[in-house]
Amino acid sequence: MKNGYLPFEKPLSELRDKIDELKQFTSEKKIDLNTEIKTLEQKALRLEAEIYGNLTTWQKVQIARHVSRPTTKTYIDQIFTHFMELHGDRTYGDDPAIIGGIAKLKGRPVTVIGHERGSDTKDKIKRNFGLPHPEGYRKALRLMQQANKFGRPIICFIDTQGAHPGIEAEERGQSEAIARNLREMAGFEVPIVCVVTGEGGSGGALGIGVGNRLLMLEHAYYSVISPEGAAAILWRDSSKAQEAAEALKITSQDLLELGVIDQVIHEPKGGAHRDPELQANLIQRALVEQLQPLLKLSSEELIEDRYQKFAQIGEYHHVLKV
């Protein structure tokens, strides 16, 4: 991955390098190459539109996994003000793979929670690459219960390959912790808006994903299993992950069409990592727009709204022919 470009972006990367070389040559040799540079820049724009306008599902998965893709902490810092992080599940310990606390969204107090996979190697190891243990989900639940008690809307950022699959997580009740979150989130009396910002993998994502509204970034994916895992089960060959990704219907466009999500949030060309500040602004705007109508609903209406949302997922009509 050269200069942050993925393999399928190689032609664009090479063209950008050529433009940079000409600009440097112009500066050093004082030779006017502006016409040639302008021609190449126009070509780069056309190539950019061609590449990003025809992305395959697997290419979108690669963008969602990009090493420089903004993390939950990045979005919290740019979208919210007065963020105060809270730690611990009051039972076992604190899980750095889940970050959460109290903040203000455009002046309104909210509780914000999300998977945090880390920004550099040391941070990624500390945060277990965003794979939460049971105490992470219990910490999230504690913060949501507090939000419910004080009437604060809940914002959840989803970005994980899945819950930690190790034996120690199972020993501490991984499945029970996730199941409890699903049950409790269904009954909270405050608005809940969830955003899939990168990877949304299996129950690890769903553990903080039961909301009134579910939004997704344009190149994020949301799936019951990773493409590699699905390929290993279906064909006993994880190298067929690209085929599995297409079959799973895991992109934001697929899930919007299927009625699983409520809104696709546009990304800058090339992905959120190309302009994190712009991406944060787009997410903030979507959160405000989605929260406004939910804030007008009563507690009973919010619970019913959430129930109806999930009851309709997967609904189909079969016409019996006689």
Side-chain angles (χ1 to χ4, degrees):
M1 187 164 59
K2 183 181 177 183
N3 298 327
Y5 285 96
L6 295 162
F8 68 87
E9 298 173 298
K10 184 178 179 181
L12 182 60
S13 171
E14 292 174 345
L15 191 54
R16 292 290 187 196
D17 287 344
K18 184 64 176 177
I19 293 171
D20 291 340
E21 287 176 13
L22 289 180
K23 287 181 177 180
Q24 185 177 356
F25 189 80
T26 298
S27 177
E28 292 176 352
K29 303 299 182 180
K30 308 300 181 185
I31 299 174
D32 187 5
L33 297 173
N34 287 329
T35 301
E36 290 80 358
I37 292 171
K38 186 175 181 181
T39 299
L40 288 179
E41 285 179 336
Q42 291 174 342
K43 184 178 179 181
L45 288 174
R46 290 195 298 271
L47 183 59
E48 194 177 60
E50 181 183 339
I51 290 174
Y52 301 126
N54 299 281
L55 291 172
T56 66
T57 299
W58 183 246
Q59 287 169 342
K60 291 182 179 183
V61 169
Q62 290 179 286
I63 293 175
R65 293 173 173 175
H66 197 285
V67 66
S68 299
R69 194 167 178 85
T71 68
T72 294
K73 191 174 185 306
T74 302
Y75 290 131
I76 288 175
D77 291 342
Q78 296 193 28
I79 294 173
F80 304 91
T81 58
H82 303 88
F83 176 65
M84 180 174 68
E85 186 176 357
L86 301 175
H87 298 271
D89 67 344
R90 300 297 187 267
T91 301
Y92 179 84
D94 185 54
D95 185 356
I98 294 278
I99 185 173
I102 304 167
K104 286 188 176 182
L105 174 63
K106 290 287 187 178
R108 177 180 294 278
V110 297
T111 288
V112 56
I113 300 164
H115 300 99
E116 176 54 43
R117 52 187 171 80
S119 54
D120 55 35
T121 302
K122 184 178 179 180
D123 195 32
K124 288 177 186 294
I125 293 172
K126 171 189 172 184
R127 298 184 184 277
N128 199 34
F129 298 88
L131 278 63
H133 287 77
E135 52 269 25
Y137 292 106
R138 292 181 178 123
K139 173 170 70 172
L141 180 58
R142 181 176 74 83
L143 298 183
M144 289 188 279
Q145 288 171 335
Q146 183 195 71
N148 189 58
K149 178 179 179 180
F150 292 103
R152 290 192 300 269
I154 299 168
I155 311 294
C156 294
F157 289 99
I158 298 168
D159 185 14
T160 183
Q161 294 179 12
H164 183 70
I167 189 171
E168 68 277 15
E170 296 299 335
E171 289 173 343
R172 297 201 292 270
Q174 184 73 287
S175 58
E176 185 277 339
I178 293 173
R180 185 180 294 271
N181 278 25
L182 304 187
R183 185 187 69 183
E184 295 295 321
M185 289 184 78
F188 285 144
E189 299 177 345
V190 295
I192 305 175
V193 178
C194 305
V195 187
V196 183
T197 59
E199 297 183 85
S202 192
L206 198 58
I208 58 169
V210 181
N212 295 91
R213 298 293 179 269
L214 178 59
L215 320 181
M216 278 183 73
L217 297 197
E218 184 180 0
H219 303 317
Y221 78 87
Y222 195 38
S223 175
V224 68
I225 191 173
S226 69
E228 293 87 349
I233 293 172
L234 294 174
W235 298 291
R236 299 184 184 279
D237 184 358
S238 60
S239 67
K240 293 189 176 182
Q242 296 187 40
E243 296 174 48
E246 294 289 345
L248 285 168
K249 301 295 182 184
I250 58 178
T251 69
S252 58
Q253 294 78 12
D254 290 330
L255 295 173
L256 183 66
E257 185 177 339
L258 291 169
V260 175
I261 69 170
D262 301 288
Q263 181 181 345
V264 177
I265 302 174
H266 176 70
E267 292 192 31
K269 274 192 172 63
H273 58 283
R274 295 294 175 194
D275 194 340
E277 186 176 350
L278 172 60
Q279 189 65 74
N281 289 336
L282 293 171
I283 294 173
Q284 184 188 68
R285 186 185 310 165
L287 288 174
V288 172
E289 288 175 356
Q290 292 291 345
L291 271 178
Q292 283 178 344
L294 293 175
L295 290 168
K296 298 176 183 178
L297 301 181
S298 67
S299 300
E300 293 77 12
E301 288 172 330
L302 284 168
I303 294 172
E304 180 63 20
D305 174 87
R306 207 173 300 132
Y307 172 80
Q308 291 299 331
K309 172 179 174 54
F310 283 88
Q312 291 169 16
I313 292 176
E315 184 179 88
Y316 69 97
H317 300 279
H318 176 69
V319 178
L320 180 62
K321 294 182 179 180
V322 179

